[in-house]
Amino acid sequence: MQQEDIEICVNISDVRRNIDSIDREIVALIAKRGAYVKQAAHFKLTTLDVEAPKRVEQVIEKVTTLAHSTGANIDVVQAVWRAMIHSFIEAEKKEFYEKSVN
């Protein structure tokens, strides 16, 4: 992240306004990611395909590299992505199950 990309805040309200704006963007991106996860369930044959532990580690490696290159806190990025991936896997399992019973 370039310092020029960050607004210099003069009070806590400025900080919160910027964080709220970022949160809106993050939620929209999570929704978009979720739509692709939902589609992915239709291409998988087993629950092991849904869990995809190798793919999970590939994604963690990828975001760790991105975190490093952007100056993001690597521990936070890894924790957030592991929690997000876990939640998406659970949602995908439900989608997978619904596909298999229909």
Side-chain angles (χ1 to χ4, degrees), residues 1 12 14 16 22 25 27 40 49 62 68 82 84 101:
M1 175 68 52
I12 193 67
D14 286 349
R16 289 178 178 158
I22 292 165
E25 291 177 52
V27 169
D49 292 339
K62 176 191 66 175
H68 181 71
R82 285 194 186 281
M84 181 175 61
V101 296

Side-chain angles (χ1 to χ4, degrees), residues 22-101:
I22 292 165
D23 287 347
R24 283 189 294 277
E25 291 177 52
I26 291 170
V27 169
L29 290 170
I30 289 171
K32 187 175 181 178
R33 191 181 199 281
Y36 287 109
V37 168
K38 188 173 182 177
Q39 288 184 51
H42 297 282
F43 298 104
K44 297 183 179 177
L45 303 176
T46 68
T47 54
L48 185 58
D49 292 339
V50 172
E51 293 169 353
K54 282 184 170 180
R55 175 64 179 148
V56 170
E57 292 312 311
Q58 289 172 342
V59 171
I60 297 300
E61 186 177 318
K62 176 191 66 175
V63 297
T64 299
T65 299
L66 289 169
H68 181 71
S69 69
T70 61
N73 183 308
I74 291 171
D75 292 335
V76 170
V77 168
Q78 288 177 343
V80 167
W81 253 260
R82 285 194 186 281
M84 181 175 61
I85 289 168
H86 172 77
S87 296
F88 274 127
I89 286 172
E90 292 305 308
E92 190 178 355
K93 281 180 182 177
K94 289 177 186 172
E95 190 71 26
F96 179 80
Y97 174 75
E98 289 174 15
K99 173 192 83 161
S100 65
V101 296

Side-chain angles (χ1 to χ4, degrees), residues 12-24:
I12 193 67
S13 294
D14 286 349
V15 171
R16 289 178 178 158
R17 178 180 43 77
N18 280 285
I19 288 172
D20 289 347
S21 175
I22 292 165
D23 287 347
R24 283 189 294 277

